[in-house]
Amino acid sequence: MSKYDIIVLGSGPGGYVTAIRASQLGFKTAIVEKESLGGVCLNWGCIPTKALLKSAQVFEYLKHAEDYGLKVEGADKDFDAVVKRSRGVAEGMSKGVQFLMKKNKIDVINGFGKLKPGKKIDVDGTEYSADNIIIATGARSRELPSLPQDGKKVIGYREAMTLKEQPKSMIVVGSGAIGCEFGSFYNAMGTEVTIVEFMPNIVPVEDEEVSKQFERSLKKTGIKIMTNSSVESVDTSGEGVVATVKTAKGEEKLQADIILSAVGIKTNIEGIGLEDVGIITDKDKVIVNDWYQTNMPGYYAIGDITPGPALAHVASAEGILCVEKIAGMHVEKLDYGNIPGCTYASPEIASVGMTEKQAKEAGYELKIGKFPFSASGKASASGNKDGFVKVIFDAKYGEWLGCHMIGAGVTDMIAEAVLGRKLETTGHEVLKAIHPHPTMSEAVMEAVAAAYDEVIHL
């Protein structure tokens, strides 16, 4: 039986990053993967969706070339080629992870891993043991009882990424990041898109002002949005699908070629031996302490299967922290109040910290600043004037409580707020840090200036 210091079960952005950090710290490391290295994020999620969205963005530019004083004759798309490019990007990234495994001398064990008592893993009949086992099996698309997926007419994100033909019409159920990103992509490609959301606002976790701006922007592109609505049943017996949607005004029937179910995720914790080992779960999540230890010594869990936010960058951070703690390093527990969230639709959304509502409910007296991209020179020159940056400060001590952005490229700008909050920066320190001109990032400084009544360009 092969013996390791650390075996990681699952090779997504939690698992493979954990394995690399473990190897860097001198641990003899192996990783178990039943499908492709990189997991869902790299092969079926974060990376290939961004490739699709980039194609959509380029297509939008071509369609609106005249706005930039240019002429493009007969701008058209090849849907199959767009999908192929996306798959090619994912495959290239997966090969990159294979290279990293070799470079860091990590053994890759291909197959389905099942946990065993005594700190062992069975992979398709072969047993491996380790001093520490880290479970990073991630999650998949959640199915609603009223919306069973058949992979053809009612699909999840995997099928949405590799459709053979572009649908003429699509109903997207759920307006979180996955639903809005796919809705945005298909709409840009020319599909008629309707988004159905159970909550009163789309992207319901975001600040209300961002949510309302986002809804306006999506409607402007032709996407139909139904909030306070739920799909009660689906009829797939005809040529397309007919969804019965319950709204505040009563039931409505919607017809489309296809329905994309984007109502969240279901953790991959079935059949991996948690019960055999005696690892405690609650509400579909593995219970862990601040250092990702389960109730069973030598077994750890990170990423989507634990109670924190189900985000790739969170899984990576948890895995690094977990192995550094195993190595005996002095580490600080993760600050879950300073995790950035991003939606890569058009326009993009990025946020960190408290929303205005959350800050008020927490009892803070607030200083709030907002700067619209319509007042930004770079945004005007780029032709991307939709959106704004909103900052929230504690009026008493100047603590940066939250930052919320909507607009072109904001997912690349949010890191300033994450770092600022990590370093306990005050509003005046942000204001006195010189931002380059002309850039979209100036809007952060301008929003802070607005919060302190010092704004120049409004």
Side-chain angles (χ1 to χ4, degrees), residues 86-145:
S86 166
R87 298 315 309 148
V89 169
E91 281 157 26
M93 293 294 289
S94 188
K95 281 177 185 159
V97 177
Q98 286 173 31
F99 164 75
L100 290 173
M101 296 297 104
K102 277 183 188 158
K103 180 189 168 195
N104 289 281
K105 298 179 175 61
I106 296 159
D107 288 350
V108 177
I109 304 164
N110 294 303
F112 187 88
K114 189 167 183 182
L115 304 166
K116 297 277 212 175
K119 293 190 278 192
K120 292 176 189 152
I121 290 186
D122 177 287
V123 183
D124 297 336
T126 304
E127 272 196 2
Y128 302 85
S129 72
D131 295 329
N132 304 281
I133 291 173
I134 301 171
I135 313 159
T137 49
R140 62 187 185 274
S141 179
R142 182 163 73 99
E143 283 196 53
L144 292 179

Side-chain angles (χ1 to χ4, degrees), residues 1-30:
M1 184 193 299
S2 298
K3 174 80 164 47
Y4 293 91
D5 298 320
I6 288 176
I7 295 178
V8 183
L9 181 57
S11 76
Y16 86 77
V17 168
T18 303
I20 291 170
R21 187 68 185 121
S23 180
Q24 287 173 347
L25 291 167
F27 292 115
K28 186 185 178 190
T29 307

Side-chain angles (χ1 to χ4, degrees), residues 358-391:
Q358 286 167 341
K360 281 177 178 167
E361 285 170 354
Y364 287 102
E365 189 187 328
L366 304 179
K367 278 191 181 294
I368 295 173
K370 225 173 117 181
F371 189 79
F373 286 122
S374 56
S376 157
K378 178 69 181 288
S380 285
S382 305
N384 294 308
K385 295 197 289 182
D386 264 10
F388 57 83
V389 173
K390 176 178 179 177
V391 293

Side-chain angles (χ1 to χ4, degrees), residues 60-94:
E60 282 292 308
Y61 274 132
L62 289 173
K63 286 191 287 185
H64 297 101
E66 286 190 14
D67 296 348
Y68 297 86
L70 304 169
K71 282 192 177 175
V72 176
E73 295 299 327
D76 204 357
K77 62 182 183 298
D78 179 342
F79 185 76
D80 190 44
V82 167
V83 169
K84 275 184 181 155
R85 176 183 179 269
S86 166
R87 298 315 309 148
V89 169
E91 281 157 26
M93 293 294 289
S94 188

Side-chain angles (χ1 to χ4, degrees), residues 376-417:
S376 157
K378 178 69 181 288
S380 285
S382 305
N384 294 308
K385 295 197 289 182
D386 264 10
F388 57 83
V389 173
K390 176 178 179 177
V391 293
I392 302 162
F393 288 92
D394 167 32
K396 195 172 179 185
Y397 298 111
E399 183 188 354
W400 197 350
L401 299 174
C403 184
H404 307 275
M405 307 176 175
I406 178 168
V410 296
T411 56
D412 292 318
M413 287 166 52
I414 195 65
E416 176 177 350

